């Protein structure tokens, strides 16, 4: 067979990819240089880092040769990594897409079964193009090595990839099949106990087959050797064998060690490979999550998307998960998780007519206890993850179980016992799944997602062939390829049967799924958290004000614009962007995107405010319904009196507003916080509030992900004071303290906000530290047993003790806008503006709350978090639960100047308990109906009457819906909040009574 002629062209200009039409000379990208292909020798280097090189390959296949023929390519791969470094995408001369290339997918079938029609001309010639991406290997061997190559143009040396192989090779099907037979049976023998007869019969059969095989007579002897092995492969599995549903999958991180633009190309490579595999293996089923990935495919490769649609219709390519991306499971607010589900499920419904029934989050870093309710209210029945197998302290006790959320809603949940979302269908993985499965006594089904993941790649021919051999094999579990829904139905039925016989035997986990690992993701790349929180708050304001402008002024509702903004926010909630575990490139682009989103949202707010102010009502103080007023005053008819300031000769400063008396020592720490209403001291003796603590933060591995437990044992208190002064603003007064440590500077301004009953701190940091963790300590004289950490639509109650290993393992945990502690009838809350990581522990007669401010991880971004940051938090002595919740809303409300003083569109009149309106918007279907999201906040029960303003109309009708704003399914077992008629019935809004259970979420729809 003839040699392959290779030519290459490296994309110049800014190094960003060009279209295939431009590279193939079929069209021209504006402002891009013309392709200039030049001869390229095997062994030569190509690159540089993050650049794209196009290879043109020419050759001829002998027209009458026997058997299949492949073109085999090696772009310079490292054998230990798939999808984490250089990859390729193959095109024909006329621009048709062929397949992707990676270390386990390196051949293109030119002739024979599986060849793409038309690759060869009448004389056996071919011309193929390869778009090769020089993505650096950033997570190699050893892992977590600090690198600058998470950005383009790094000055550090980069060892370029070398084109090692581009040759035509004959493929020997019989030898290939024998190799797989030996691998499967040899792997199975290694897993079986030596006392098993099957173990020895497998070894004997393998020995006989190897005796038969003769390399000099390869194909015929391979057939004879396979005949020896055939009886061993035909021996069926035991009657009681475990059942494994194997589904093809390619866990594809939307961004991680590569930027978003590279993920768009990874989706195309992975899907093109998958479709080729589905073409050749009619028994395979492939799953694909993240509506965003489908959307990219639809817009960039419509022909490929048409093939995807075909296989979706056949039921062999199955959209799963029902979310826009696979988001972080704890940081997004409740409404963000709602939109992840509604945007994802609506996409799959609109494109494929498919209602996804599972939430698919294999790789997020913990899961909020609100997720079961949200999943069920979005129409999902099942939940899948495997991440808790990574726990560093305790082993989770189940693989199939009922997960009961903080509100009591249950969802069937499965952890694949193979403990990977990227299996290769090997004997070792299958045996591990059987051994590990913790619910053998009551369940016999598990699921195995197989295919290369993280960087994509998906299943391969080898995996498909192993799957066939393991389908019914003695000594192994039964393995079947089928849609995940069929597995979930069977596995859920097993648990329901057990519950019918004996409810006490049902495996149930209540509350959050806390991951005992990756705790640092709550703090890393704090700008991601700050911008996400701000965008969520601005979206809340923009949707409410736009709805008010629509109802009151008839202004068109900017649905398309809001949807576009939401999709961008949801994209950046992906579980390696929002948690801060991606390369510098990803976070740099994210900061720019967030800044643009905030400007757009502020403009929408301004436009709505302008429309609402047409009547000349003037402006209020910058808040808006359904937010509470910015201040609570002792006498609502008057402004609060100015804070009294007293400076003593010993350097202490006392601030007093009649509600709180604060003493700040000469060292700038709060030494006393006296609650004048309760006549109670908040700061424990000898302790100091607002103490900044610095820790050495050098994780053993997973730098940006982890905070190791030993780190928190050795705080270095920052006492240095380089500046101190009293500051005033209106009736408020405070003390500004400047501290320096290392090469960093912190300016703390502690404000007593007159009439609010809270001590607020503004903390501005110029952060230059590496491998350090900065926390602020808030010791309070409250003897609490637990602390309440806000989560989506409620809170998680976590122990402050360390009596058990699992309690100790929660040494860093997630919070949203508040954390609260209580002893007896006295409560204290701490609210924050942009933080998510905290720890809380008992300390003798008090509780110590510490908020995490900043880290300085070095991998994968060596300059993570360096720069200027601003944080805000406030201590609320004596604040009960409802007060803390409402204060947290006020504290996070965006500053929106010039809002008209208008009555709220809707309000709640509480008759029992506490609930509030979280969100108001216009319905997504364009009908103009109002949609209102209400929830109970205290883990109890609440009753309320919905009160529409006169502007909403005299007799608007209201009914309860699911999260997709569809009528509730009356056959579902979810509790209904709206009383006064059968579920789904319309009733006058002024007669709408809500009865809410603990943390229950209700979505109400109002026809104007």
């Amino acid at each position: 067979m003839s040699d392959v002629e290779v030519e290459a062209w490296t994309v110049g200009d800014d190094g960003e990819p060009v279209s295939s039409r431009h590279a193939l000379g079929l069209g021209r990208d504006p402002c891009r240089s013309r392709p200039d292909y030049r001869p390229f020798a095997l062994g030569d280097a190509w690159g540089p880092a993050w650049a794209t090189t196009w290879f043109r390959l020419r050759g001829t296949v002998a027209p009458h040769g026997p058997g299949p023929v492949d073109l085999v390519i090696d772009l310079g791969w490292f054998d230990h990594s798939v999808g984490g470094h250089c990859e390729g995408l193959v095109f024909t001369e006329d621009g048709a897409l062929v397949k992707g290339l990676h270390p386990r997918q390196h051949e293109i079938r030119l002739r024979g079964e599986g060849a793409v029609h038309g690759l060869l001309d009448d004389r056996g010639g071919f011309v193929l193009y390869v778009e090769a991406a020089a993505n650096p290997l950033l997570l190699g061997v050893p892992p977590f090595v600090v690198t600058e190559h998470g950005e383009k143009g790094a000055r550090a040396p980069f060892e370029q990839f070398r084109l090692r192989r581009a040759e035509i090779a004959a493929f020997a099907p019989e030898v290939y099949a024998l190799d797989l037979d030996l691998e499967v049976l040899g792997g199975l023998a290694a897993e079986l106990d030596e006392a098993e007869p099957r173990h020895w019969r497998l070894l004997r059969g393998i020995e006989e087959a190897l005796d038969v095989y003769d390399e000099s007579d390869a194909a015929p002897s391979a057939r004879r050797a396979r005949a020896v092995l055939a009886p061993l492969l035909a021996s069926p599995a035991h009657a009681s064998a475990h059942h494994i549903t194997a589904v093809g999958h390619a866990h594809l991180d939307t961004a991680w060690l590569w930027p978003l633009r590279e993920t768009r190309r990874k989706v195309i490579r992975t899907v093109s490979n998958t479709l080729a595999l589905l073409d050749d293996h009619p028994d395979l089923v492939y799953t694909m999550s993240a509506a965003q990935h489908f959307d990219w495919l639809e817009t960039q490769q419509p022909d490929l998307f048409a093939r995807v649609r075909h296989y979706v219709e056949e039921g062999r390519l199955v959209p799963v998960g029902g979310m826009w991306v696979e988001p972080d499971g704890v940081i997004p607010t409740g409404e963000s998780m709602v939109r992840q589900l509604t945007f994802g499920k609506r996409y799959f419904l609109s494109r494929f007519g498919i209602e996804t029934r599972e939430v698919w989050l294999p790789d997020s870093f913990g899961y909020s206890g609100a997720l079961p309710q949200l999943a069920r209210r979005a129409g999902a029945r099942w939940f899948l993850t495997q991440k808790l197998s990574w726990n560093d302290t305790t082993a989770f006790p189940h693989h199939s179980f009922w997960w009961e959320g903080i509100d009591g809603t249950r969802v069937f949940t499965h952890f694949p016992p193979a403990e990977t979302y990227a299996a290769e269908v090997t004997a070792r993985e299958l045996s591990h799944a059987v051994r590990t499965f913790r619910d053998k006594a009551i369940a016999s089904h598990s699921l195995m997602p197989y295919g290369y993941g993280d960087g994509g790649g998906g299943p391969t021919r080898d995996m498909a062939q192993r799957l066939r051999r393991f389908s019914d094999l003695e000594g192994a579990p039964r393995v079947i390829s089928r849609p995940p829904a069929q597995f979930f139905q069977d596995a859920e039925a097993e648990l329901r049967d057990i519950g019918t016989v004996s409810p006490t035997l049902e495996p149930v986990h209540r509350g959050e799924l806390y991951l005992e690992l990756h705790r640092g993701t709550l703090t890393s790349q704090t700008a991601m958290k700050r911008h996400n929180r701000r965008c969520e708050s601005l979206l809340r304001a923009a949707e409410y004000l736009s709805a008010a402008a629509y109802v009151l002024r008839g202004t068109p509702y900017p649905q398309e614009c809001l949807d576009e903004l939401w999709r961008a926010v949801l994209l950046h909630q992906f579980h390696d962007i929002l948690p801060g575990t991606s390369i510098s490139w990803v976070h740099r682009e994210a900061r720019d995107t967030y800044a643009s989103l905030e400007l757009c949202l502020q403009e929408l707010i301004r436009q709505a405010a302008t429309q609402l102010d047409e009547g000349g009502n003037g402006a209020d103080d910058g808040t808006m319904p359904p937010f509470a007023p910015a201040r609570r005053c002792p006498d609502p008819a008057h402004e609060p009196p100015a804070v009294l300031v007293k400076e003593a000769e010993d350097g202490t400063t006392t601030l007093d507003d009649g509600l709180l008396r604060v003493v700040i020592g000469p060292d700038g720490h709060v030494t006393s916080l006296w609650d004048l209403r309760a006549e109670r001291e908040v700061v424990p003796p000898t302790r100091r509030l607002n103490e900044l603590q610095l820790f050495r933060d050098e994780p053993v591995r997973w730098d940006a992900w982890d905070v190791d437990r030993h780190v928190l044992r050795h705080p270095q208190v920052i006492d240095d004071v380089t500046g101190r002064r009293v500051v005033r603003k209106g009736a408020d007064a405070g003390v500004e303290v400047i501290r320096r440590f290392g090469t960093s500077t912190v300016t703390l301004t502690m404000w007593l906000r007159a009439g609010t009953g809270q001590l607020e701190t503004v903390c501005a940091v110029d952060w230059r530290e590496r491998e350090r963790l900065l926390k602020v300590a808030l010791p309070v004289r409250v003897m609490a047993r637990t602390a309440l950490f806000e989560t989506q639509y409620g809170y998680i109650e976590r122990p402050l003790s360390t009596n058990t290993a699992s309690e100790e393992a929660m040494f860093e945990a997630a919070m949203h806008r508040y954390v609260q502690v209580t002893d007896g009838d006295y409560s204290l809350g701490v609210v924050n503006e942009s933080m998510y990581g905290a720890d809380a522990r008992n300390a003798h007669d008090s509780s110590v709350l510490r908020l995490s401010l900043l880290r300085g991880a070095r991998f994968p971004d060596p300059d993570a978090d360096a720069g200027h940051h601003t944080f805000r938090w406030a201590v609320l002595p004596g604040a009960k639960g409802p007060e803390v919740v409402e204060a947290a809303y006020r504290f996070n409300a965006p500053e929106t100047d010039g809002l008209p003083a208008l009555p709220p569109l809707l309000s709640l009149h509480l008759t029992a308990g506490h609930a509030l309106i979280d969100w108001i918007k216009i319905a997504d279907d364009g009908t103009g109906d109002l949609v209102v999201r209400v929830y109970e906040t205290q883990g109890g029960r609440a009753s309320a009457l919905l009160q529409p303003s006169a502007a909403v109309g005299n007799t608007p009708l209201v009914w309860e819906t699911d999260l997709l704003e569809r009528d509730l399914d009356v056959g579902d077992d979810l509790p209904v909040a709206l009383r006064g008629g059968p579920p789904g019935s319309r009733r006058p809004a002024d007669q709408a009574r809500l009865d809410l259970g603990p943390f229950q979420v209700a979505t109400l729809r109002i026809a104007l």
Side-chain angles (χ1 to χ4, degrees):
M1 296 182 181
S2 60
D3 294 334
V4 176
E5 177 189 336
V6 182
E7 298 170 292
W9 166 60
T10 298
V11 178
D13 303 320
D14 59 0
E16 288 300 287
V18 299
S19 69
S20 58
R21 288 184 56 81
H22 181 87
L24 274 57
L26 303 175
R28 182 76 188 274
D29 289 353
C31 305
R32 303 309 297 262
S33 60
R34 292 182 181 277
D36 181 17
Y37 288 89
R38 299 186 179 185
F40 193 91
L42 291 182
D44 282 357
W46 62 278
W50 297 115
T52 298
T53 295
W54 282 83
F55 293 103
R56 182 161 59 199
L57 310 174
R58 305 174 191 265
T60 302
V61 176
H64 304 296
V69 175
D70 290 344
L71 173 63
V72 182
I73 295 173
D74 184 345
L75 294 173
W77 290 302
F78 299 94
D79 191 57
H80 54 72
S81 179
V82 176
H85 57 311
C86 67
E87 298 173 76
L89 188 61
V90 183
F91 294 85
T92 63
E93 197 173 14
D94 59 2
L97 198 155
V98 180
K99 66 179 301 186
L101 298 173
H102 63 70
R104 306 292 194 279
Q105 193 81 257
H106 54 263
E107 74 289 330
I108 301 106
R109 181 60 51 87
L110 298 175
R111 187 181 65 199
E113 184 180 0
V116 176
H117 177 72
L119 285 188
L120 300 179
D121 61 25
D122 294 340
R123 292 175 294 179
F126 66 86
V127 179
L128 293 174
Y129 288 79
V130 176
E131 180 196 37
N135 302 335
L137 178 66
L138 302 181
L139 190 63
V141 179
F144 313 115
V145 175
V146 178
T147 174
E148 296 179 13
H149 289 292
E151 270 286 7
K152 286 197 302 182
R155 286 173 289 183
F158 172 67
E159 184 179 352
Q160 292 181 245
F161 298 108
R162 294 182 179 275
L163 182 65
R164 296 197 189 108
R165 192 177 183 192
E167 63 183 15
I168 300 168
F171 179 79
E174 285 292 342
V175 176
Y176 171 72
L178 174 61
D179 180 66
L180 282 165
D181 290 347
L182 292 168
E183 179 189 345
V184 165
L185 295 176
L188 181 59
E191 295 300 319
L192 293 173
D193 191 282
E194 291 187 7
E196 290 288 332
R198 174 72 164 167
H199 168 82
W200 294 102
R201 289 172 185 169
L202 288 174
L203 293 183
R204 178 60 181 161
I206 291 169
E207 184 179 31
E208 290 179 4
L210 291 173
D211 287 343
V212 168
Y213 178 68
D214 182 355
E215 193 174 84
S216 64
D217 187 28
S221 65
R223 279 192 291 273
R224 294 194 297 273
R226 293 196 70 206
V228 172
L229 298 176
L232 296 173
L233 287 165
S235 183
H238 296 305
S240 61
H242 186 71
H243 292 73
I244 292 181
T245 296
V247 294
H249 190 54
H251 179 70
L252 180 48
D253 286 324
T254 302
W256 182 29
L257 303 178
W258 48 86
L260 286 170
R261 65 94 148 141
E262 196 57 32
T263 310
R264 295 184 181 97
R265 298 202 289 181
K266 283 175 174 286
V267 170
I268 297 169
R269 297 173 196 134
T270 297
V271 170
S272 63
N273 284 340
T274 295
L275 294 178
L277 199 66
L278 292 175
D279 288 342
D280 296 339
H281 295 79
D283 54 336
L284 294 190
V285 173
Y286 179 75
T287 57
M288 183 170 164
S289 68
Q292 174 71 86
H293 295 179
F294 285 88
D295 183 64
W296 282 336
L297 200 63
E298 182 181 13
T299 55
Q300 294 176 110
Q301 289 286 338
D303 291 344
L304 202 63
F305 186 77
R307 294 179 61 199
V308 166
R309 189 190 299 273
H310 166 75
Y311 276 117
V312 171
E313 291 171 354
E314 283 195 353
R316 296 183 54 215
L317 197 157
V318 184
V320 293
M323 287 185 157
W324 190 247
V325 296
E326 292 183 11
D328 181 89
V330 295
I331 296 176
T333 193
E335 187 67 22
S336 287
M337 298 304 284
V338 168
R339 303 304 177 96
Q340 288 285 356
L341 288 160
T342 59
F343 275 74
K345 288 177 73 75
R346 284 198 182 107
Y347 181 88
F348 292 138
L349 280 165
S350 65
R351 299 312 191 272
F352 309 120
I354 286 179
E355 173 106 13
T356 52
R357 294 296 186 183
E358 68 288 303
V359 175
W360 187 282
L361 291 177
D363 193 32
S364 296
F365 311 138
Y367 304 92
S368 156
L371 278 174
Q373 177 178 200
L374 299 183
R376 291 290 306 282
R377 290 190 179 275
R381 293 175 52 187
W382 310 303
F383 184 86
L384 179 136
T385 184
Q386 67 88 39
K387 199 65 176 184
L388 268 70
S389 67
W390 290 40
N391 276 1
D392 64 9
T393 305
T394 65
F396 196 82
H398 301 293
H399 283 99
S400 288
F401 60 98
W402 296 108
W403 179 17
E404 185 176 294
I406 56 175
D407 68 308
T409 298
R410 288 186 178 184
V411 59
F412 174 78
T413 299
H414 182 67
F415 295 170
E419 299 185 327
T420 178
Y421 48 70
E424 299 179 50
V425 198
T426 65
R428 175 174 293 182
E429 291 167 341
L430 295 170
S431 297
H432 181 80
V434 175
R435 284 194 302 268
T436 305
F437 190 59
R438 296 191 180 93
D439 302 288
K440 297 183 183 73
I442 58 174
S444 58
H445 292 80
S446 66
L447 186 130
M448 175 185 283
Y450 69 92
Y452 293 112
D454 288 333
T460 65
R461 179 178 59 192
D462 289 2
M463 297 176 193
Q465 292 295 329
R466 285 194 288 267
L467 177 58
R468 285 180 177 176
R469 288 162 172 79
F470 278 119
S471 62
D472 190 11
L473 185 61
E474 182 187 354
R478 283 191 173 89
V479 185
I480 185 172
S481 180
R482 59 175 179 165
Q486 295 180 16
F487 154 76
F488 280 117
Q489 289 167 355
D490 290 347
E492 180 185 1
E494 285 186 314
L495 260 62
R496 289 196 182 279
D497 289 344
I498 289 295
T500 301
V501 174
S502 176
T504 59
L505 294 179
E506 285 187 298
V508 179
H509 177 85
R510 295 176 173 86
E512 68 178 329
L513 294 176
Y514 177 89
L515 177 63
E516 296 171 356
L517 198 72
H518 293 356
R519 304 166 183 89
T521 59
L522 302 169
T523 306
S524 292
Q525 297 282 7
T526 188
M528 300 299 99
K529 284 79 169 170
R530 181 173 62 252
H531 283 301
N532 176 74
R533 177 86 66 90
R534 180 163 175 76
C535 281
E536 289 173 332
S537 297
L538 287 168
L539 278 162
R540 186 175 190 265
E543 292 201 325
Y544 174 78
L545 292 171
S546 296
Y550 170 79
V551 172
L552 303 176
R553 301 287 186 261
T555 305
Y557 189 73
Q559 187 71 62
E560 290 185 8
C561 180
L562 286 165
D563 284 352
E564 183 179 351
L565 295 169
W566 263 116
R567 281 190 287 266
V569 170
L570 298 178
L571 168 62
H572 287 83
Q573 289 174 347
F574 176 73
H575 64 256
D576 277 309
I577 302 178
L578 184 55
T581 52
S582 291
I583 57 175
S584 172
W585 188 339
V586 173
H587 296 299
R588 169 178 52 79
E589 288 188 333
R591 289 191 295 270
D592 292 343
T593 300
Y594 276 128
S596 175
L597 293 174
E598 290 171 17
L599 288 174
C600 291
L601 286 165
Q602 288 166 343
E603 177 60 19
L604 283 179
I605 289 169
R606 187 197 65 77
Q607 292 175 6
T610 300
Q611 293 293 322
L612 288 167
D613 201 28
E614 283 181 353
N617 293 299
D620 67 7
D621 61 359
T623 63
M624 62 176 196
F627 294 114
R631 304 202 151 165
R632 56 169 206 257
C633 308
D635 182 0
H638 301 91
E639 282 292 313
V643 173
L644 298 176
V645 179
K646 181 180 178 181
E647 296 189 77
E649 292 183 0
D650 63 358
T652 61
T653 302
T654 302
L655 310 174
D656 191 328
D657 72 341
L659 299 176
L660 298 177
R661 183 184 302 128
V662 183
V663 179
I664 299 172
D667 57 6
H669 295 108
V670 177
T671 57
S672 174
L673 177 56
W674 187 267
D675 184 347
L676 294 165
R677 295 159 298 182
E679 296 186 348
R680 177 165 176 158
E681 174 60 61
V682 169
V683 180
T686 73
R687 302 301 297 269
R688 304 179 300 183
L689 201 72
N690 271 359
E691 186 178 80
L692 291 175
Q693 298 180 353
L694 193 66
F695 304 83
R696 288 181 59 186
D697 183 17
E698 301 168 346
V700 174
R701 54 181 183 169
W702 298 109
D703 295 35
W705 291 258
D706 283 357
V707 170
D708 292 345
R709 51 178 30 89
H710 65 269
V711 166
L712 301 184
R713 299 173 190 159
H714 308 290
Q716 173 190 343
V717 177
I718 301 172
D719 279 325
D720 177 69
V721 178
T722 58
R724 187 184 189 280
R725 67 187 180 106
V726 173
V727 292
R728 280 192 174 277
K729 185 177 181 181
D732 303 336
V735 175
E736 178 189 273
V737 178
I738 301 174
R739 305 186 188 278
R740 290 193 174 92
F741 55 95
T743 56
S744 302
T745 304
V746 177
T747 301
L748 284 169
T749 308
M750 291 158 280
W751 290 96
L752 187 54
R753 304 294 191 187
T756 65
Q758 61 188 46
L759 174 65
E760 177 184 333
T761 301
V762 179
C763 175
V765 187
D766 181 8
W767 179 249
R768 304 294 168 186
E769 308 308 301
R770 299 293 83 203
E771 297 183 316
R772 295 292 184 269
L773 168 66
L774 182 65
K775 281 178 170 276
V776 60
L778 304 168
V780 294
R781 201 170 185 182
V782 177
M783 187 63 177
R785 294 181 180 273
T786 61
L788 312 182
F789 293 72
E790 190 194 23
T791 189
Q792 297 109 345
Y793 299 123
Y795 58 71
I796 300 293
E797 187 171 8
R798 298 193 179 101
L800 299 187
S801 59
T802 56
N803 293 330
T804 66
S806 60
E807 289 178 348
E808 184 275 335
M810 294 185 185
F811 58 82
E812 182 81 352
M815 66 175 174
H816 278 208
R817 295 166 297 189
Y818 71 80
V819 60
Q820 181 182 355
V821 289
T822 301
D823 67 1
D825 61 352
Y826 190 82
S827 295
L828 178 143
V830 177
V831 298
N832 75 85
E833 186 183 49
S834 60
M835 290 166 276
Y836 290 90
D839 68 281
R841 291 302 189 202
N842 290 131
H844 187 46
D845 62 346
S846 59
S847 304
V848 179
L849 312 176
R850 293 190 297 193
L851 312 181
S852 298
L853 305 181
L854 285 160
R855 301 186 65 215
R858 300 189 66 204
F859 181 88
D861 178 2
D863 298 315
D865 283 315
H868 295 269
H869 305 273
T870 300
F871 304 92
R872 290 173 61 232
W873 62 86
V875 179
L876 284 67
K880 304 296 184 184
E883 296 174 284
V884 175
V885 173
E886 293 174 10
Y889 270 89
R890 289 193 298 270
F891 206 70
N892 284 270
E895 294 181 6
T896 48
D897 296 331
L899 295 182
L902 296 170
L905 290 177
L906 300 157
S907 57
L908 286 181
H909 176 67
L910 289 167
T911 57
H914 188 256
L916 53 75
I917 295 174
D918 181 62
W919 214 275
I920 295 177
K921 60 188 284 291
I922 296 297
D924 291 332
D925 60 7
T927 59
D929 293 350
L930 271 180
V931 172
V932 186
R933 202 99 58 214
V934 181
Y935 78 102
E936 194 282 328
T937 70
Q938 297 301 297
R941 298 194 176 272
S943 297
L945 295 175
L946 188 66
Q947 295 182 325
S949 71
V952 174
N954 293 327
T955 56
L957 297 178
V958 61
W959 65 101
E960 191 169 353
T961 72
D962 67 6
L963 296 182
L964 276 76
E965 302 165 12
R966 307 172 297 193
D967 290 358
L968 279 179
D969 183 352
V970 295
D972 208 332
D973 59 354
L974 290 172
V976 177
L978 194 59
R979 303 301 182 192
S985 63
R986 277 68 166 162
R987 66 215 70 181
D990 58 359
Q991 301 175 23
R993 178 189 166 192
L994 297 174
D995 288 326
L996 295 161
F999 301 129
Q1000 183 176 339
V1001 177
T1003 302
L1004 308 176
R1005 186 162 178 154
I1006 301 173
L1008 303 180

